[in-house]
Amino acid sequence: MSATQPAVRRIATGDVLTPQELKEFPFFKIVSEKLLEKNLGAVVRRRFRKGEIICREGEQGSTAFYILNGSVDVFLGASISRVETRSETKGWFRKMKSLLVRDSQPPPTGFRQSIPIDAPVDLPVDNPVGKLGKGDLFGEMTCLNFYPRSATVRAAEDCEMLEILRNVLQMLQKDKEFKAMVDKVYRERTLDNHLRSVPVFRDLPADFMAHLKSKVQLVQFDADQVICKQGDPADSFYLMRIGHVKLSQNYPGGDIVVAYLSRGNFFGEIGLLGRGERTATCTALDHVEAVKIPKADFDLMVSRFPTIRMELEQIAGRRIVANQRQSEQLKSVFLTDFLSQSLMQAQNLLVLDLSKCTRCDDCVRACSSAHDGISRLIREGVKYDKYLIATACRQCLDPLCMIGCPVGSIQRLDSLEVMIKDWCIGCGLCAKNCPYGNITMHEFTHVQVDTETGQTKEVVGKKATVCDFCKEHAEPSCVYACPHDAAHRVEPMKFFDQELVGITFPDPK
Amino acid sequence: MTTKTLMNRLSVAAAAVAAVWILALTIIGRNDVFSPGPLSREHSVIGGQCQSCHTGAGAALFLRNVTNAACEKCHAGPVHHQNQVYEGRQGVQPPCAGCHLEHQGETARPALVVDGHCTQCHRSLEVAGSTTFAKTVTSFSGDHHPEFRVIAERRRDSSAIKLNHQIHLRADLPGPDGRPVQMQCTDCHRLGKDGSTMMPVEFERDCQSCHSLAFDPRSPEQAPHEDPQLVEAFVRVELARLAGRKIENRTSVRSLAALRQMLSDAPRNLPETLERQITSANRLLLQTRCSECHMISNLSSPIPVVETPNIPLQWFKHSHFGHAQHRMLQCASCHADVKNSSQTEDVLLPGKTTCLHCHGSGAASADCVTCHTYHDKTGTIVYPASLVPGQVRP
Amino acid sequence: MIIDSNNRPCIWGIFAVGSGRAVGYALYAMNSPNGPSGGSWPGLLFGTVAIGLMVFAALLGARRKYPTLHVGRMQFWMRGHLWLGLLSFLMVLFHSGFRVNGTLNTVLFVLFTLVIVSGLVGTLLQQILPRLMMEQIPTEVVFDQADKFIDQLVSKAQQRVESLAPKAGKTDTEPDNRTYEHIKRFYTDELTPFLRGQKPSRLLSTELRSDAVFSQLRKITAPPAHPVIEDLRTMVRQRRDLTRQMRLHHILHNWLLIHAPLSAAVLVLTVAHVVMSLRFLSGQ
């Protein structure tokens, strides 16, 4: 689901270039003059002084930029931190509030080391700063799919660039030369990092990597196009460049979306072995560009590196076991109710016992007071027997929140929990997308060091937050604060199991 | 408006109303709102002036308890025992308000102290040295109160007087004019001004109407009921007057001062016949009249000595019996043995058993304070000055 | 809160403490010559304990303003409030010697009794009403959002009704016109005032009458309108549920409007009572 399309057909600022001027650029050759006439104002030349901000992360946008001259800094202004509910540690009277904290643990192995953004570079997690220069095109995803800007771009020196609207960019992409040029940049600059972010390819020697890089295909898909189907033989590996895809699995009870993938994600490692079937259907949600590695190409290379094969086998084995476990759980009869209410494999549920709840709203007040006045709990939701499953992330079958995150920071873990990672830039798209309003945007004021001038200033930033059951504490604030013992944090499998224990039918024999 | 907001506002309002109410009443001086109950009727004269009794100990700025000094402004509370031990300390007097409760309602009597206050010491009395007082008194009934000592020790009346109640209560006793009379108790025994204390019997008022002290048929005068010396002087003067002598400064006043004057002014060394008349009149009086009741030694000597009667004024020293409260009874209901008493030594007081008929069955009160009082008021009973024992006239 | 097996230890505890105190009181009452009185030292002790318990009970209100302070779980405070509050009433009875005299004392005791009684009523309501609400009102709405919900209903109803409006350019058939007129009139005259709660509606306030109204409406309108009528019927049912929910909600919460203000007054008057009684205390 892409962001809504703004109505502007002309860019407001900048020098409008006449078709003649445009024709001077090599890649505008194939575009007919008539079209350029019709779309006057869809391409403008912009000039920026050193230090000017070209675009800010999280802003709405509809244009791409092509750098003619100069260089720019690309960085994330948002602090790399996540929201944690902490208690002020002074003595017995401790209050809870939300803080921004850094993830102090090193990322687990295989985790991405860089943040994917809408540009030919990826930003490393520990220092999210990058550089773009002459001939680089950035902002394609925003332009084509109207997602929010994924990073802040500032002119490192006086520069000149073309700002392009969607219709013109689409035309350009049809041009083979233009395409080849952009792809070349990608291959040279970013493909290496992207490939290395795949656990299997992480430790490949450089020459193998070079060979691989030359052999990969860069493919495109349109919106709603099925890339591969569940059950089809797995024969290739995909690495996402631009756009979003939906990975879904079909079960007797219904469909479940396993993940929404975007730039930097990959799927289908099993396909590299040429064994097995696709365990999920992959559908493009919008304009998707991906790196494809067909099995045939891969086989050749793998024969030289048996260790890679072994790793792949391990990954495949794990995947198959996990899938089996999941499907068994799903087949269990009494869970069909759960399935229909999206409660399937939630690790944690917040249940309110309606036979004890006096509707006093103390739980909401406690959540609000623990989170700087912004409550994440609404006393509304589905009912199951006498329990109300309060709105605190339902772990939806179809996590609409995951669509469109420009930096891919909202993800679904193997346990199927939805998590927001530290580099959320606070654009608010996930909060808009969640149909139950479970994601709240939390404002924080934090001190930032200006990288150029070295001065510190206070910046108000936002982070997307979702109820995480006050994980850092023994009890969620709402449970702690309910006077009537009506709020409980439960593991649904155990909790409801106890209700249903002992229901068996003796063997008629 | 949500319930919560309304609730908060109402709470603030309610607290404010309560505070304003209290402060307003305090400021205008209406302290009676803090009073834990109405005052007794007797104290209602105080009205709302709490500070009349709640004067507070001088040093404490805040405390306004009722001090003993405040009670003693109007009430006398003589000390029970100077050396008593109260709450472990010797010589300490308990606070008035500890036993005398106020604020118990209009009909309550602060003077009626409950038994518990007395029995807190008297249930197990510890006395340094020996004592004749009972050590365990818890109530009036049964064995918890000793028998009256007069009865228990079978005391005898050792007064120097001769009295036979039996004769006096005879049915055909000759009266003042010779006709037979039936005497009643009240003919001799009268109550004092308080209506409760039985006054001593007075000769002039109660006995002389029958026991005449006439000494000469020619004279209507009776001898005074005084010392034999004074009697002799009076007889001498009267007989001299009857014989025709001139008496100077003759007065019919019979006060002690006048009689003494008569003693010094009486004519002496009168003619022998007169002297003989005087002597025989005197002897007659002494032998037939005075000796009828008094013990006289040296009867034959010119100036005999009459033993001071020493009739006890009060038999129960540590309690008070109010005859007025018992006027519904006959004298003989309690003093049952009087008709059979012919001896002066007989003590005709009733014992505890008699009292228990009413005061043990619940019909009449049997509290300690019914008969006893904590405050030592033995000096406050008023007797006629002439009859206070021990006061000898010259 | 629900008095269930979780409360059993509290009940035993309070019962034990209460019995112990009662024995103490009996001994003291029998042995004091003036009878039990608030000013004697056992009386003062009972009074002090009562005040301590009352203050703890009153602190529940303050505690609820800071729900995330780590001073003990809210349930601990709530159970304490209930059981220690009851114990404080017993302590007050012992302190007063089961009798009350004087203006301030009488007012204080009456108000305190009302506080206790209203609290007991509230607890009783909390045993029954939550379950009742859950069973009777399947489509329960967050109470604070009731107004918004009503707005939503009204605008949805309007949408559905306007969808039947005869469209310009199409041939207007008589039945369709009449249908629209009927429904529009019903919407304006009956439905909207009922949804907004502006006046009590005789026709729509019970299920029986409402069903009759709608079936009548179905009879006199053309079939294309029937889905709309069905939707309107559902909305009316939801509004009735909301009315019932609001009534139950008010019953469940309004006892607090007696309990809280009176307890505030009780606290103020208790301070006055303590100050003045200690000031004038005599006979000790």
Side-chain angles (χ1 to χ4, degrees):
Chain A
M1 201 162 76
S2 55
T4 49
Q5 181 175 346
V8 62
R9 303 264 316 275
R10 302 281 178 266
I11 301 175
T13 49
D15 314 323
V16 175
L17 293 171
T18 61
Q20 290 80 13
E21 285 168 315
L22 281 174
K23 283 293 193 185
E24 285 169 33
F25 296 103
F27 37 83
F28 276 103
K29 262 200 312 237
I30 61 146
V31 186
S32 73
E33 274 214 30
K34 251 221 214 111
L35 239 65
L36 291 176
E37 276 278 348
K38 232 173 159 198
N39 288 307
L40 207 58
V43 183
V44 299
R45 179 182 18 230
R46 301 281 304 272
R47 288 200 175 84
F48 294 98
R49 297 181 157 279
K50 172 173 171 177
E52 250 185 282
I53 301 285
I54 296 157
C55 63
R56 270 188 223 282
E57 66 204 47
E59 273 177 352
Q60 289 298 330
S62 55
T63 55
F65 290 89
Y66 180 79
I67 303 179
L68 296 171
N69 282 311
S71 66
V72 298
D73 286 327
V74 184
F75 60 93
L76 283 188
S79 61
I80 307 300
S81 50
R82 68 172 191 290
V83 179
E84 204 176 69
T85 312
R86 282 262 184 92
S87 25
E88 295 173 339
T89 44
K90 275 218 175 93
W92 205 39
F93 284 81
R94 298 197 313 265
K95 201 163 76 108
M96 304 245 270
K97 59 175 198 180
S98 305
L99 294 175
L100 283 181
V101 291
R102 250 184 208 231
D103 201 351
S104 52
Q105 287 135 3
T109 51
F111 205 61
R112 69 172 78 247
Q113 305 288 355
S114 54
I115 302 170
I117 54 168
D118 188 15
V121 287
D122 279 344
L123 305 179
V125 174
D126 43 8
N127 187 23
V129 178
K131 253 185 150 52
L132 293 173
K134 176 171 172 161
D136 282 330
L137 178 72
F138 65 89
E140 279 172 285
M141 207 156 71
T142 303
C143 181
L144 294 173
N145 299 325
F146 306 107
Y147 288 124
R149 299 276 181 207
S150 57
T152 307
V153 180
R154 187 178 53 209
E157 44 180 328
D158 287 354
C159 45
E160 207 182 324
M161 49 185 83
L162 291 179
E163 195 174 347
I164 309 169
L165 275 179
R166 182 174 183 236
N167 40 7
V168 174
L169 186 61
Q170 276 175 329
M171 280 190 263
L172 284 177
Q173 282 186 332
K174 291 199 182 75
D175 176 41
K176 283 202 187 54
E177 265 192 51
F178 182 79
K179 197 91 191 51
M181 181 186 71
V182 173
D183 283 354
K184 180 155 151 293
V185 168
Y186 174 71
R187 273 184 209 271
E188 282 168 11
R189 299 262 288 273
T190 326
L191 180 59
D192 200 289
N193 272 341
H194 273 184
L195 282 175
R196 287 216 185 267
S197 72
V198 181
V200 183
F201 302 141
R202 194 182 37 213
D203 301 320
L204 283 182
D207 58 342
F208 189 99
M209 189 54 87
H211 186 69
L212 193 60
K213 269 165 40 175
S214 62
K215 279 287 189 216
V216 300
Q217 297 172 12
L218 299 175
V219 294
Q220 273 183 338
F221 300 96
D222 289 325
D224 294 331
Q225 195 172 346
V226 174
I227 300 173
C228 59
K229 257 223 195 72
Q230 181 175 354
D232 284 350
D235 63 352
S236 43
F237 168 85
Y238 293 91
L239 178 60
M240 297 286 301
R241 267 183 67 196
I242 289 178
H244 286 76
V245 299
K246 178 170 80 169
L247 275 186
S248 54
Q249 288 175 323
N250 180 274
Y251 282 100
D255 269 356
I256 172 173
V257 172
V258 175
Y260 288 98
L261 305 180
S262 65
R263 182 185 177 94
N265 294 122
F266 56 88
F267 59 93
E269 315 88 283
I270 305 176
L272 292 172
L273 290 171
R275 222 180 299 152
E277 302 169 344
R278 292 284 183 212
T279 50
T281 304
C282 183
T283 320
L285 290 176
D286 47 30
H287 175 84
V288 168
E289 295 189 23
V291 176
K292 176 174 173 180
I293 305 178
K295 168 189 154 356
D297 284 333
F298 199 71
D299 270 350
L300 206 59
M301 295 178 285
V302 150
S303 61
R304 290 168 59 191
F305 292 88
T307 46
I308 296 183
R309 170 157 235 115
M310 260 172 23
E311 269 193 59
L312 273 178
E313 307 255 0
Q314 273 179 7
I315 292 172
R318 276 202 297 267
R319 265 301 160 75
I320 290 170
V321 166
N323 278 339
Q324 263 181 340
R325 194 166 25 98
Q326 265 184 35
S327 62
E328 260 164 27
Q329 281 173 323
L330 287 173
K331 282 192 195 119
S332 160
V333 165
F334 81 93
L335 281 174
T336 45
D337 259 344
F338 265 29
L339 261 182
S340 67
Q341 298 190 20
S342 325
L343 298 168
M344 186 186 65
Q345 294 216 8
Q347 299 296 295
N348 264 314
L349 278 186
L350 189 71
V351 298
L352 303 178
D353 185 340
L354 286 178
S355 69
K356 292 184 182 176
C357 170
T358 61
R359 284 74 169 164
C360 70
D361 282 329
D362 265 7
C363 46
V364 177
R365 259 191 285 278
C367 181
S368 159
S369 127
H371 299 112
D372 298 336
I374 301 170
S375 171
R376 300 170 188 183
L377 169 66
I378 308 173
R379 242 190 337 101
E380 201 160 334
V382 293
K383 292 200 181 107
Y384 191 66
D385 187 25
K386 63 174 177 170
Y387 297 103
L388 175 76
I389 316 295
T391 50
C393 188
R394 297 215 207 163
Q395 326 287 348
C396 300
L397 285 172
D398 186 4
L400 301 174
C401 54
M402 287 174 56
I403 303 171
C405 178
V407 290
S409 71
I410 180 163
Q411 297 167 0
R412 184 172 230 156
L413 307 180
D414 276 339
S415 56
L416 301 185
E417 244 181 283
V418 175
M419 267 199 65
I420 301 175
K421 309 305 268 178
D422 285 14
W423 56 87
C424 161
I425 58 171
C427 70
L429 198 60
C430 54
K432 268 201 284 263
N433 285 343
C434 174
Y436 311 106
N438 285 343
I439 301 182
T440 31
M441 300 310 295
H442 213 132
E443 278 191 7
F444 287 95
T445 310
H446 56 275
V447 170
Q448 220 179 29
V449 177
D450 192 306
T451 43
E452 282 227 328
T453 59
Q455 284 172 344
T456 54
K457 58 176 183 212
E458 276 202 346
V459 167
V460 174
K462 283 198 209 173
K463 289 277 180 188
T465 56
V466 79
C467 171
D468 61 354
F469 303 101
C470 295
K471 251 203 307 256
E472 296 87 8
H473 298 271
E475 268 186 325
S477 309
C478 46
V479 173
Y480 186 75
C482 172
H484 306 289
D485 195 26
H488 303 286
R489 172 195 196 178
V490 301
E491 266 182 73
M493 309 289 279
K494 287 205 194 115
F495 187 67
F496 292 106
D497 246 355
Q498 278 164 3
E499 304 258 343
L500 299 166
V501 94
I503 298 179
T504 52
F505 288 97
D507 207 333
K509 273 193 274 175
Chain B
M1 188 186 313
T2 58
T3 312
K4 210 172 170 61
T5 324
L6 185 61
M7 179 184 87
N8 286 338
R9 292 207 190 149
L10 279 180
S11 301
V12 171
V17 163
V20 163
W21 178 56
I22 293 291
L23 284 174
L25 285 174
T26 314
I27 289 173
I28 66 177
R30 286 284 305 277
N31 281 340
D32 54 336
V33 74
F34 303 114
S35 154
L39 290 177
S40 64
R41 203 177 319 134
E42 287 84 0
H43 280 147
S44 60
V45 66
I46 291 175
Q49 311 295 318
C50 309
Q51 68 276 10
S52 312
C53 301
H54 287 277
T55 53
L61 291 172
F62 173 72
L63 293 177
R64 291 283 178 271
N65 55 321
V66 176
T67 54
N68 289 1
C71 303
E72 281 165 353
K73 259 199 300 217
C74 302
H75 299 275
V79 161
H80 182 55
H81 271 296
Q82 204 60 42
N83 294 332
Q84 76 188 16
V85 174
Y86 178 72
E87 281 186 354
R89 293 172 293 165
Q90 192 169 49
V92 167
Q93 306 302 319
C96 309
C99 299
H100 297 285
L101 300 182
E102 249 303 358
H103 291 290
Q104 303 292 310
E106 275 194 359
T107 52
R109 309 259 315 275
L112 291 183
V113 175
V114 297
D115 282 0
H117 291 296
C118 310
T119 56
Q120 72 182 319
C121 292
H122 283 277
R123 80 154 52 87
S124 55
L125 200 59
E126 284 174 21
V127 181
S130 65
T131 178
T132 49
F133 289 104
K135 290 208 177 152
T136 312
V137 181
T138 48
S139 74
F140 187 58
S141 61
D143 292 332
H144 302 140
H145 189 288
E147 176 59 90
F148 307 150
R149 186 168 301 152
V150 163
I151 308 299
E153 293 174 2
R154 294 181 204 277
R155 290 249 188 98
R156 304 296 285 160
D157 190 349
S158 54
S159 326
I161 206 82
K162 299 181 206 157
L163 175 70
N164 187 329
H165 274 102
Q166 201 174 37
I167 294 178
H168 281 85
L169 292 173
R170 240 174 47 200
D172 54 351
L173 190 70
D177 51 3
R179 281 189 296 189
V181 293
Q182 169 69 66
M183 286 195 79
Q184 304 296 326
C185 310
T186 47
D187 292 335
C188 302
H189 296 285
R190 299 160 207 265
L191 290 173
K193 283 228 181 68
D194 64 358
S196 276
T197 319
M198 198 58 78
M199 288 288 113
V201 177
E202 289 179 56
F203 177 79
E204 287 88 346
R205 188 190 63 194
D206 305 319
C207 312
Q208 202 165 14
S209 52
C210 295
H211 296 263
S212 141
L213 292 179
F215 54 91
D216 195 304
R218 295 173 292 167
S219 166
E221 302 275 355
Q222 297 199 22
H225 184 240
E226 291 297 342
D227 257 354
Q229 258 190 317
L230 298 173
V231 167
E232 206 267 351
F234 183 86
V235 166
R236 179 178 293 272
V237 163
E238 184 62 12
L239 285 179
R241 191 187 65 81
L242 285 172
R245 292 280 170 145
K246 197 90 166 49
I247 306 295
E248 291 146 14
N249 304 330
R250 186 166 178 270
T251 170
S252 58
V253 175
R254 284 173 177 245
S255 68
L256 199 55
L259 289 169
R260 288 217 181 97
Q261 190 66 37
M262 219 180 270
L263 182 64
S264 55
D265 289 346
R268 308 270 164 200
N269 302 321
L270 290 167
E272 201 192 320
T273 11
L274 207 48
E275 286 288 346
R276 234 183 294 134
Q277 259 185 345
I278 293 169
T279 312
S280 72
N282 240 359
R283 183 140 307 132
L284 184 75
L285 278 175
L286 277 170
Q287 284 176 340
T288 61
R289 302 276 66 157
C290 305
S291 299
E292 210 174 13
C293 304
H294 286 282
M295 319 281 215
I296 307 177
S297 52
N298 300 340
L299 202 58
S300 48
S301 79
I303 307 296
V305 174
V306 176
E307 259 187 75
T308 320
N310 273 335
I311 305 175
L313 288 171
Q314 193 185 7
W315 283 94
F316 293 145
K317 290 270 167 43
H318 296 284
S319 63
H320 171 70
F321 181 82
H323 280 93
Q325 287 89 333
H326 291 87
R327 59 189 181 276
M328 77 289 280
L329 297 170
Q330 305 272 343
C331 307
S333 313
C334 299
H335 300 281
D337 285 337
V338 93
K339 280 221 167 73
N340 302 327
S341 163
S342 58
Q343 306 276 324
T344 312
E345 292 85 11
D346 289 340
V347 169
L348 298 168
L349 291 169
K352 200 177 83 167
T353 334
T354 312
C355 307
L356 278 174
H357 286 147
C358 300
H359 289 272
S361 57
S365 72
D367 297 341
C368 304
V369 296
T370 308
C371 306
H372 300 282
T373 174
Y374 170 86
H375 296 289
D376 186 1
K377 290 187 176 167
T378 46
T380 60
I381 301 174
V382 176
Y383 291 107
S386 59
L387 292 170
V388 173
Q391 202 166 339
V392 176
R393 292 163 214 234
Chain C
M1 74 182 315
I2 299 265
I3 314 290
D4 57 10
S5 52
N6 284 342
N7 277 293
R8 229 179 269 153
C10 294
I11 300 179
W12 281 118
I14 297 297
F15 186 71
V17 171
S19 320
R21 290 293 173 94
V23 168
Y25 171 76
L27 287 173
Y28 138 70
M30 289 192 306
N31 284 332
S32 52
N34 289 332
S37 140
S40 59
W41 72 258
L44 285 176
L45 191 66
F46 282 125
T48 312
V49 171
I51 287 182
L53 296 177
M54 279 162 62
V55 166
F56 175 74
L59 283 177
L60 180 70
R63 171 81 181 87
R64 284 174 86 151
K65 278 208 171 9
Y66 304 100
T68 50
L69 275 187
H70 278 235
V71 290
R73 299 180 87 221
M74 193 68 83
Q75 285 160 49
F76 159 75
W77 281 77
M78 190 79 218
R79 285 209 197 109
H81 180 92
L82 267 180
W83 299 113
L84 294 180
L86 277 180
L87 192 64
S88 78
F89 186 65
L90 192 65
M91 291 297 113
V92 163
L93 284 176
F94 288 163
H95 166 74
S96 69
F98 289 86
R99 52 170 204 266
V100 184
N101 280 316
T103 313
L104 177 61
N105 297 352
T106 311
V107 167
L108 187 56
F109 188 73
V110 165
L111 289 183
F112 186 57
T113 308
L114 283 176
V115 167
I116 297 288
V117 165
S118 63
L120 288 174
V121 165
T123 309
L124 189 65
L125 289 175
Q126 284 177 356
Q127 311 302 306
I128 305 168
L129 280 178
R131 184 169 275 274
L132 210 65
M133 283 176 86
M134 174 184 85
E135 285 164 1
Q136 285 191 4
I137 303 157
T139 54
E140 197 178 321
V141 162
V142 176
F143 187 74
D144 291 337
Q145 304 293 315
D147 289 331
K148 290 216 183 76
F149 179 69
I150 291 175
D151 289 340
Q152 274 178 6
L153 277 184
V154 169
S155 71
K156 224 182 356 169
Q158 189 176 33
Q159 266 179 13
R160 296 304 279 129
V161 167
E162 290 305 320
S163 74
L164 292 175
K167 297 174 188 34
K170 288 213 182 140
T171 46
D172 294 340
T173 50
E174 248 327 285
D176 282 341
N177 264 347
R178 256 208 322 260
T179 296
Y180 175 64
E181 287 305 313
H182 278 303
I183 294 189
K184 180 79 191 248
R185 189 143 37 96
F186 173 70
Y187 166 79
T188 319
D189 292 345
E190 278 296 329
L191 190 70
T192 309
F194 174 72
L195 287 180
R196 289 233 180 266
Q198 282 157 356
K199 67 172 170 66
S201 167
R202 194 186 151 267
L203 292 178
L204 299 175
S205 55
T206 64
E207 196 176 344
L208 192 66
R209 281 200 282 264
S210 161
D211 279 356
V213 165
F214 281 105
S215 77
Q216 188 71 7
L217 207 54
R218 258 201 299 277
K219 283 206 189 79
I220 62 173
T221 53
H226 289 181
V228 172
I229 293 177
E230 196 52 38
D231 282 350
L232 293 180
R233 190 170 83 103
T234 309
M235 283 181 222
V236 164
R237 183 160 42 84
Q238 285 177 331
R239 182 63 176 92
R240 277 201 302 273
D241 276 354
L242 182 66
T243 310
R244 200 177 315 137
Q245 180 190 340
M246 284 168 73
R247 193 177 329 131
L248 288 175
H249 192 272
H250 280 126
I251 297 177
L252 187 55
H253 286 90
N254 278 1
W255 62 274
L256 279 170
L257 296 177
I258 300 180
H259 190 77
L262 286 189
S263 53
V266 161
L267 284 175
V268 170
L269 292 180
T270 305
V271 169
H273 169 77
V274 167
V275 165
M276 281 307 182
S277 300
L278 287 178
R279 183 166 150 94
F280 290 116
L281 188 61
S282 309
Q284 254 45 36

